[in-house]
Amino acid sequence: MSKEKIWLSPPHMCGKELEFVQEAFSSNWISPVGPHINAFENELAAYSEADHCAAVSSGSAAIHLALIILGVKAGDEVICSSFTFSASCNPIAYLGATPVFVDSEAVTWNMSPDFLKTAIEDRMRKTGKKPKAIVLVHLYGMPSRLDELMAISREYEIPLVEDAAEALGSTYKGKKLGSFGDFGIFSFNGNKIITTSGGGALVSKNEEFIGRARFLATQARDSAPHYEHSSIGYNYRLSNVCAGIGRGQLSVIDKRVEQRRFNFQFYRENLSETPNYTFLNEPEGFFSNRWLTTILVKGGYDGRERARLSLENENIESRPLWKPMHLQPVFAHCPYYGDETSNGLFDAGLCLPSGSSLSERQLTRIVGLLMA
Ligand SMILES: *Cc1c(COP(=O)(O)O)cnc(C)c1O
């Protein structure tokens, strides 16, 4: 008999989604325009504390639009966290620009302010140009060292895009992630803390930026009775049906953050008897949504694989941490600044099942296997 499957981070519906979707169907607002889109944008703008929001078809599309609006062009360089998912830097390549990877620091696992500064100085020396933007990732929901990183962004006048795809609901010194940079971006892919089945959003304090994002995301149609175009456009809008799912999901976001944080606490308390696992702690003022609970396993790669396979044999999905971008074959030619902190995290790190619908019985089953 096969054992009950436990997924890493499955979608978790609250019930209200279907009402909103039903409403979209009854009113025949099925396309990428409609009342749910406007409402979802307003609700997300308010929740994220960033004032303005454009809902789009994915987090990747949101990053792509942010970089276009910040003027990134072919031949430019854009700084990006190395320790992340490839969607953070793929849009840099879409634009014919080159990612410059900056490694993590050990406390948050996010971008090192020291190496960011080194990278900017060295790129200016070598190319005679400033990098065009910084894509800063708050990985697994943990806030980056925003005071230091923002100070560098301001000092060199390089705009900051917060990739908060994994960090909706996290805060830094009491303020929501996504509201610090020139842009914040979110993802509502199926495995994120809330989902629209697939979708994303850009948020910003700058209303003009968000207006521009909506314009570019709807094929850049100039105002005219016929179809008139003076810029290249994209088909990147979120559908009204998906926005309905998003509204249901967003109505329970605080509860989802609480549930994900409960998972983390449960793992940490119940795995504390063994010295085999260490956890990522929140420094003072840092509040993580704990999208995924991550552990470092003693014994590096071998220890991590042993833990992962012991779960896999019992039909439980876990996953190594993201493989850093500077180690990816497709980005091997790109400049990199750091001390390989993320290489070690990748070797020893494992993401444990972290869904908000996990039961205590399931958590106990996972802990039992990890303690064996
Ligand atoms: C999921 C994710 C994205 C991209 O989101 P999609 O909606 O899947 O395009 C970007 N950055 C990070 C760090 C992510 O985890």
Side-chain angles (χ1 to χ4, degrees):
M1 205 183 76
S2 73
K3 308 240 169 56
E4 180 205 18
K5 175 83 185 180
I6 300 179
W7 298 99
L8 186 72
S9 180
H12 183 188
M13 296 297 117
C14 72
K16 278 193 222 158
E17 296 85 359
L18 212 49
E19 288 171 37
F20 286 116
V21 169
Q22 189 61 54
E23 211 176 298
F25 274 68
S26 324
S27 58
N28 208 32
W29 285 109
I30 307 298
S31 68
V33 275
H36 284 327
I37 299 176
N38 304 339
F40 185 50
E41 288 181 340
N42 291 338
E43 288 156 9
L44 198 59
Y47 181 77
S48 68
E49 300 171 2
D51 301 344
H52 305 285
C53 172
V56 294
S57 53
S58 70
S60 308
I63 298 172
H64 191 191
L65 292 173
L67 296 177
I68 292 168
I69 293 164
L70 294 173
V72 175
K73 302 229 155 52
D76 287 337
E77 292 189 337
V78 174
I79 290 183
C80 185
S81 306
S82 182
F83 194 36
T84 187
F85 174 49
S86 63
S88 303
C89 53
N90 281 336
I92 301 170
Y94 300 165
L95 291 167
T98 304
V100 172
F101 293 114
V102 173
D103 210 332
S104 307
E105 48 86 24
V107 176
T108 64
W109 298 0
N110 291 319
M111 189 184 282
S112 151
D114 292 341
F115 286 120
L116 171 61
K117 205 172 161 84
T118 310
I120 295 171
E121 292 281 349
D122 195 58
R123 295 327 292 166
M124 293 195 326
R125 205 162 34 240
K126 289 207 169 101
T127 69
K129 292 203 298 192
K130 265 194 314 199
K132 258 300 179 37
I134 301 164
V135 178
L136 170 67
V137 185
H138 306 296
L139 211 63
Y140 301 116
M142 179 61 78
S144 305
R145 307 183 80 98
L146 277 161
D147 281 346
E148 291 105 305
L149 294 161
M150 299 265 298
I152 296 167
S153 148
R154 271 195 295 266
E155 178 187 345
Y156 292 93
E157 300 179 320
I158 304 175
L160 188 75
V161 177
E162 283 182 83
D163 178 346
E166 303 178 358
L168 183 69
S170 299
T171 62
Y172 177 77
K173 299 191 174 172
K175 199 163 160 262
K176 293 267 165 54
L177 298 190
S179 67
F180 289 85
D182 296 83
F183 278 108
I185 78 94
F186 299 113
S187 165
F188 309 116
N189 198 17
N191 63 350
K192 298 286 156 64
I193 191 158
I194 63 169
T195 181
T196 58
S197 89
L202 291 110
V203 294
S204 180
K205 299 262 185 230
N206 185 325
E207 189 171 7
E208 213 181 300
F209 278 0
I210 295 300
R212 184 84 192 150
R214 284 200 197 100
F215 168 77
L216 292 173
T218 45
Q219 304 287 24
R221 288 176 55 193
D222 296 339
S223 145
H226 59 278
Y227 278 63
E228 177 85 8
H229 302 280
S230 46
S231 331
I232 297 291
Y234 302 84
N235 183 5
Y236 274 172
R237 256 330 225 163
L238 189 69
S239 93
N240 192 59
V241 177
C242 292
I245 303 174
R247 292 187 72 193
Q249 291 271 287
L250 192 59
S251 74
V252 291
I253 176 70
D254 289 334
K255 199 159 150 203
R256 297 294 178 254
V257 172
E258 214 174 280
Q259 287 160 325
R260 300 251 175 185
R261 287 178 62 85
F262 176 83
N263 293 337
F264 176 87
Q265 299 281 11
F266 190 96
Y267 284 125
R268 187 165 58 183
E269 273 162 32
N270 289 281
L271 292 172
S272 66
E273 281 157 48
T274 142
N276 284 345
Y277 309 112
T278 53
F279 289 81
L280 179 62
N281 292 313
E282 291 164 322
E284 183 74 32
F286 290 60
F287 178 89
S288 170
N289 67 5
R290 297 294 186 190
W291 171 56
L292 297 183
T293 292
T294 54
I295 53 172
L296 296 179
V297 185
K298 209 164 126 184
Y301 178 86
D302 293 339
R304 176 258 271 177
E305 274 304 276
R306 220 175 300 121
R308 191 184 67 78
L309 292 170
S310 74
L311 295 176
E312 188 176 277
N313 288 336
E314 297 288 317
N315 216 10
I316 297 169
E317 187 187 23
S318 66
R319 192 183 294 159
L321 302 189
W322 299 122
K323 181 173 178 177
M325 292 304 115
H326 72 275
L327 301 179
Q328 299 287 357
V330 70
F331 294 119
H333 62 286
C334 299
Y336 160 78
Y337 296 87
D339 57 3
E340 311 209 325
T341 291
S342 60
N343 302 39
L345 296 173
F346 170 60
D347 278 342
L350 193 66
C351 303
L352 298 178
S354 300
S356 44
S357 51
L358 275 177
S359 66
E360 223 167 301
R361 182 185 54 79
Q362 289 174 316
L363 286 165
T364 306
R365 192 178 143 216
I366 297 162
V367 165
L369 291 165
L370 291 171
M371 294 293 282

